[in-house]
Structures are given as C-alpha cells and as structure tokens.
Amino acid sequence: MKEIWKKMNLKGHLLTAISYLIPIVCGAGFLVAIGMALGGSSQDALIQGKFSFWDTLATMGGKALGLLPVIIATGISFSIAGKPGIAPGFVVGLSANAISAGFIGGIIGGYIAGFLALWILKNVKVPEWAKGLMPTVIVPLLSSFISGLLMIYIIGIPIAAFTDWLTNFLQGLGSSSMLIFGLVIGFLSIVDFGGPVNKTVYAFTLTLLASGVKEPVTALQLVNTSTPIGFGFAYFVAKLLHKNIYGQAQIENLKSAVPMGVLNIVEGVIPIVMNDLFRGIVAAAIGGAAGGATSMVLGADSTVPFGGFLMLPTMTHPWTGLLAIIVNVFVTGLVYALIAKNKTDEELATEEKAEEEEISFDDIEIL
C-alpha cells in the first residue's frame, strides 16, 4: 500500500501545480490591488462606457483569481497525465467552480481527471488508425466527460458544503482562536524553510484564499519574509551581547539572504541555518509563531500572497503587516542571538579555512 501511495506521488503533483499557480495569483493579485487602491472595483461584466481604467485592472485581476480552482485542477492533471490531462483538468476545474466546490474541489478534481486520463491512455485499446486520436480527442473527451459528471453529481456537493462551513468557521473565530491559528501557521510555515511542510501549509492557505479568507496566507508569507531578516538582526543583537555567532562566510551569505527575504524568498537563509541547524530551527519556529499570531490577530489581509514588503500596500491596513514583520524579526533575532553558540576566534578561523579550501581535481577521474 505504501508503495502505491509513493508511486501516485500526490504531493509532487500538487507542488507542481502550485508552482504554476503562484505567478498567476501574484499577477492577478497586484492588478486587483492597484485597481482598487486607485478607486476601481472588480465587476461582474465590463459594459462599454460604464467602467474606468482602474475598474478594468481590478476586474481583470478578480476574474483571474476566480479561476484558481481551474488553474490548480489543470496543473495537477497535466502533472499526472501530460498534455492529454490538460482538457479534463480544465473541464473539472470549471465544474468545481460551477458547483461552488472551490479550491478543494479543484485539487480533488485535478487528481481524478489526471489519473483517469492516464488510465485511459494505458488501458483503452483502439484500432491502429485511431491511435493518433487518443491524446487529442479520445482521452480528453472521455476523461472530461466522466470527471466533470463526477464533480457535479457526486463529489462536488459535499466539498462545497465543507468549503462553506470552513469559511464561515474561520471568519467566526475570536481573537484567542486567531492567536492559536496564527501560532500554528507561523510555526509550520518556517520549520523547513520553504520545503514540503511549507508548501503543504501554503496549499491549505490558498484554499482559504480562494474562499475569500486572506489572513492565513498573508500570515504565512509574512513569516517567510521576516525570517531571513531576523537572522540578519541576530548579528547586531549578538554584537551587543559580545558574542560571535557568525563566521565571515555566513556574514557574506546574510548580505544576500536578507534582501532575498525582503522579497519573500526564504531559501537564501538555509546555508546560514545549516551551520547551527537545531538552534536555527528553534529560533525560526519561535519567531514564526510570534509573527504568525500577530498577523492573524491584527487581521493582516494582503490581496497578493507573495512579494514580501510589496504585499503591504495591498492590505486594508498596511501597518498590521508591518507590525507582524517587526515582531517576527525581533523575536527570531533575539532568540537566535541568545541561544546560538558563542564561537571562539579559533573556531571561526577553522570555519573560514574550511570554506576557503579549494576542491582538488587530482582525484577526479573522467571516464
């Protein structure tokens, strides 16, 4: 059974689809943010002579964001079945939208459409003259027909009910519940510094974003933004404490990791954390939990779920996101400066020497 799940690679297909989704979400989110900030509004239809340029931007972005279930379904189905999976993924995503099954419906529908298309490709036998029609006509037609009907008549209705319940539940949470929710999101989103756990939480928060709940994905992205800056702040705190926590190579890494963090790229801090992995994870997790809780309690609600500091102008109250970043940076930096090992000059010299050692090509054999 374990081998079957491994072979299905459910997580891999989801992460692939998310990688396709992020640029679309960012582009559409910024269009909405710019349009609405300058007086526009997202409309159901643009009637000639009755809309402004800013209405156009907001509507373009809003329509794109409304297709998130379609995009995720198409991405998953394509990841599973290749080109023959595009049409059924698109159709099942539209079906999920039509029945209000939302982002969760899009994800489940994408798996159904993709694996169904793959099964038809491998198992349906056709005459020799019809084989050329398999990837372009037969597979898309059969898989679109079956997966679309499954979504509308069987799985879509309970998913739509669950999505509606989840949205109402989260919107009805009080401050104390938001605090706990934010702690969990902040902790989980940073413990692997942009790895599989982070991406899994991101998929969940995107589900909520598609239902109009912006706060969870905002909290996650603010934590990603803050963590590298927090490790940079730790350098100055350590100096005040008369501690040497970074070698010269790590200091050089910080010069790129911090600017990357400003733009919401957390992976730049990994080489620094790897030098003191346990303490680095502890500091990032505590700081992320504090930042996530602050973001959720204050209601930071970015329209754009990516971009670091560029997210702030898209919030209803930008100061909420800025304060969450400050809290996260301060806690991460302070905790790491306190718990990180105070390295002696000898240890720093050894680290630097190890970094500077050149690779010897004497033992390399070219076959």
Side-chain angles (χ1 to χ4, degrees):
M1 190 67 178
K2 192 174 182 181
E3 284 298 317
I4 294 175
W5 283 106
K6 187 176 181 180
K7 195 172 181 180
M8 289 176 72
N9 192 24
L10 299 181
K11 183 186 291 184
H13 296 310
L14 177 61
L15 294 181
T16 298
I18 288 175
S19 71
Y20 299 149
L21 181 79
I22 291 174
I24 298 171
V25 173
C26 291
F30 276 116
L31 285 174
V32 172
I34 294 169
M36 296 185 71
L38 295 171
S41 61
S42 182
Q43 302 180 15
D44 291 332
L46 294 175
I47 301 172
Q48 290 297 326
K50 295 185 179 181
F51 60 89
S52 68
F53 177 73
W54 308 119
D55 292 333
T56 301
L57 294 186
T59 302
M60 287 166 57
K63 293 297 183 184
L65 290 176
L67 290 176
L68 290 186
V70 182
I71 298 164
I72 198 72
T74 305
I76 291 173
S77 186
F78 171 72
S79 178
I80 295 169
K83 288 183 180 180
I86 293 176
F90 189 80
V91 170
V92 81
L94 287 173
S95 301
N97 250 5
I99 203 166
S100 300
F103 199 75
I104 297 175
I107 292 174
I108 297 175
Y111 285 125
I112 292 173
F115 284 119
L116 182 59
L118 190 62
W119 185 88
I120 293 172
L121 271 171
K122 290 183 175 181
N123 295 280
V124 173
K125 306 300 179 184
V126 296
E128 194 68 30
W129 61 266
K131 285 185 177 179
L133 299 175
M134 280 290 286
T136 56
V137 178
I138 298 172
V139 174
L141 173 62
L142 292 178
S143 53
S144 297
F145 177 73
I146 297 171
S147 59
L149 290 180
L150 285 173
M151 176 60 64
I152 291 173
Y153 286 105
I154 298 177
I155 66 173
I157 296 173
I159 293 173
F162 173 75
T163 301
D164 187 54
W165 171 83
L166 181 62
T167 302
N168 292 332
F169 172 74
L170 292 173
Q171 289 176 336
L173 289 177
S175 296
S176 59
S177 299
M178 283 291 192
L179 176 70
I180 296 171
F181 192 27
L183 286 169
V184 173
I185 288 179
F187 174 82
L188 292 177
S189 66
I190 203 59
V191 289
D192 62 348
F193 297 91
V197 175
N198 175 282
K199 295 298 188 292
T200 301
V201 179
Y202 186 46
F204 171 69
T205 58
L206 281 176
T207 298
L208 303 177
L209 175 67
S211 301
V213 183
K214 304 173 185 176
E215 291 81 3
V217 73
T218 302
L220 179 146
Q221 298 294 20
L222 290 178
V223 171
N224 287 347
T225 298
S226 306
T227 300
I229 305 172
F231 279 91
F233 179 62
Y235 170 81
F236 298 101
V237 177
K239 288 298 180 186
L240 291 175
L241 298 174
H242 304 291
K243 291 179 67 176
N244 291 317
I245 61 173
Y246 295 132
Q248 189 58 42
Q250 291 173 286
I251 294 172
E252 291 301 317
N253 283 334
L254 280 173
K255 292 178 181 178
S256 59
V258 171
M260 289 170 69
V262 170
L263 295 176
N264 200 4
I265 303 172
V266 71
E267 287 82 0
V269 81
I270 292 176
I272 299 164
V273 175
M274 290 302 293
N275 280 275
D276 195 355
L277 187 59
F278 177 74
R279 295 181 181 91
I281 291 175
V282 169
I286 294 174
T294 303
S295 177
M296 288 293 292
V297 169
L298 295 179
D301 58 349
S302 175
T303 306
V304 184
F306 195 79
F309 275 79
L310 298 177
M311 296 165 59
L312 298 181
T314 73
M315 298 180 189
T316 306
H317 302 292
W319 65 268
T320 57
L322 181 60
L323 185 56
I325 290 174
I326 292 172
V327 169
N328 198 332
V329 168
F330 180 81
V331 174
T332 301
L334 182 62
V335 171
Y336 191 64
L338 289 173
I339 67 175
K341 185 179 179 181
N342 185 16
K343 299 175 181 178
T344 64
D345 292 338
E346 187 176 300
E347 288 173 324
L348 291 174
T350 302
E351 282 187 9
E352 189 172 344
K353 185 179 179 181
E355 290 286 343
E356 290 177 352
E357 282 183 353
E358 295 182 357
I359 299 173
S360 173
F361 293 95
D362 295 338
D363 298 326
I364 296 179
E365 296 181 4
I366 300 176
L367 301 178

